C-alpha cells in the first residue's frame, strides 16, 4: 500500500467540513434537547440528576482521598527528614 493511498485527501476533507458546517446550524439541537427535557416528569429529572451526581461525586471523592493520601505521605517524609 503506498503512502499516497493511505493519506486523506485534503480537498475531500474541506468539502466534508463545508458540508457539515452548513448542516449543523440548520439543526436546532438546543430546541430538541429543551423539548425532550420538558417532556420528562419532575421525579424523572430528579432521579437523573441524583444518579449523575452520585456517580461523578463518588469519583471526585476517590480522587480526593488518593490525592490526600499522597500529600499525607509526602508530608510525613518531609517531617521525618527535617525533624
Amino acid at each position: 500500500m503506498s503512502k499516497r493511498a493511505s493519506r486523506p485527501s485534503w480537498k475531500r476533507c474541506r468539502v466534508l467540513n463545508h458540508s457539515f458546517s452548513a448542516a449543523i446550524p440548520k439543526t436546532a439541537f438546543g430546541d430538541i434537547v429543551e423539548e425532550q427535557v420538558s417532556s420528562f416528569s419532575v421525579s424523572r429529572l430528579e432521579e437523573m440528576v441524583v444518579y449523575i451526581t452520585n456517580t461523578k461525586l463518588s469519583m471526585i471523592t476517590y480522587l480526593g482521598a488518593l490525592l490526600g493520601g499522597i500529600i499525607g505521605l509526602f508530608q510525613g517524609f518531609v517531617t521525618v527528614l527535617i525533624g
Side-chain angles (χ1 to χ4, degrees):
M1 182 175 209
S2 71
K3 286 185 178 184
R4 185 172 178 94
S6 64
R7 278 197 215 149
S9 166
W10 293 113
K11 186 175 181 180
R12 255 186 283 161
C13 289
R14 278 185 289 205
V15 169
L16 286 173
N17 185 19
H18 179 70
S19 299
F20 284 121
S21 296
I24 288 175
K26 294 177 185 175
T27 308
F29 289 115
D31 294 339
I32 294 169
V33 170
E34 184 177 347
E35 182 181 315
Q36 291 292 317
V37 170
S38 65
S39 70
F40 291 147
S41 67
V42 175
S43 62
R44 175 71 176 134
L45 283 173
E46 182 182 359
E47 185 181 301
M48 288 169 55
V49 168
V50 167
Y51 172 74
I52 291 169
T53 304
N54 286 340
T55 57
K56 298 305 176 189
L57 287 180
S58 67
M59 184 55 67
I60 291 171
T61 304
Y62 293 140
L63 290 174
L66 176 67
L67 185 59
I70 291 170
I71 291 171
L73 287 172
F74 179 73
Q75 207 171 19
F77 287 133
V78 169
T79 303
V80 167
L81 290 175
I82 292 176

